[in-house]
Amino acid sequence: MKNLVLIALCFLVMSLTCKKNEPRDFLPGNWGILTYKENDIDKTADFNIEFQGYKLTFDAKGNYSEFHHPFSTGEKLVTGTWTLENNNLQLVFVDNDPNSASKIRTFDVLGPITSTELNIKEGIKEYDLRKQ
């Protein structure tokens, strides 16, 4: 009986001290494109040419940056804040650039966010990202 109580107490302590990972806990870090689709047509090769070196970085404080080398021009860096909304079904970016034409971008989250995989969609554009 003592052993049973001790085991139950150990499980109770473990359950109280173990933190459950939330989807937002998986986002911090650097992400790159695995595949890109438009209207369910794979256009990854085109994306990689137009957005050479694309990298999306999240931090734990809710900031993001997008970096790439646009085709035939210099480097491009966009920064802002990110939030997960609607029970983690939408990822929202708010751009820091006051002159931005698309200051707020909302992406539908297409599956569970994991420590290595993020699948999002914006209109007809679908992004399959992997942590680098």
Side-chain angles (χ1 to χ4, degrees), residues 83-109:
T83 56
L84 279 172
E85 298 182 0
N86 298 323
N87 291 325
N88 302 317
L89 296 175
Q90 290 184 314
L91 177 61
V92 179
F93 291 161
V94 179
D95 186 333
N96 283 338
D97 182 355
N99 300 317
S100 176
S102 54
K103 188 157 181 70
I104 298 174
R105 294 180 292 155
T106 302
F107 297 85
D108 294 323
V109 177

Side-chain angles (χ1 to χ4, degrees), residues 2 6 8 25 27 29-30 41-42 45 54 57-58 61 66-68 73 80 82 99 106 117 120 129 131:
K2 257 185 182 177
L6 185 57
D25 298 333
L27 288 176
N30 297 321
I41 298 168
D42 188 332
Y54 181 84
T57 303
F58 296 97
K61 295 180 181 180
E66 282 183 293
F67 174 83
H68 67 279
T73 63
W82 66 270
N99 300 317
T106 302
E117 188 173 340
I120 54 178
L129 297 121
K131 194 167 267 184

Side-chain angles (χ1 to χ4, degrees), residues 11-62:
F11 279 115
L12 177 64
V13 169
M14 285 175 43
S15 68
L16 293 175
T17 58
C18 290
K19 180 185 172 206
K20 181 182 176 202
N21 283 331
E22 296 292 326
R24 73 172 283 112
D25 298 333
F26 294 126
L27 288 176
N30 297 321
W31 297 80
I33 290 290
L34 180 66
T35 59
Y36 169 76
K37 294 179 182 178
E38 281 186 32
N39 284 325
D40 291 324
I41 298 168
D42 188 332
K43 296 202 173 185
T44 306
D46 295 337
F47 183 93
N48 288 333
I49 291 170
E50 188 174 343
F51 297 95
Q52 257 183 357
Y54 181 84
K55 180 171 68 171
L56 174 60
T57 303
F58 296 97
D59 75 14
K61 295 180 181 180

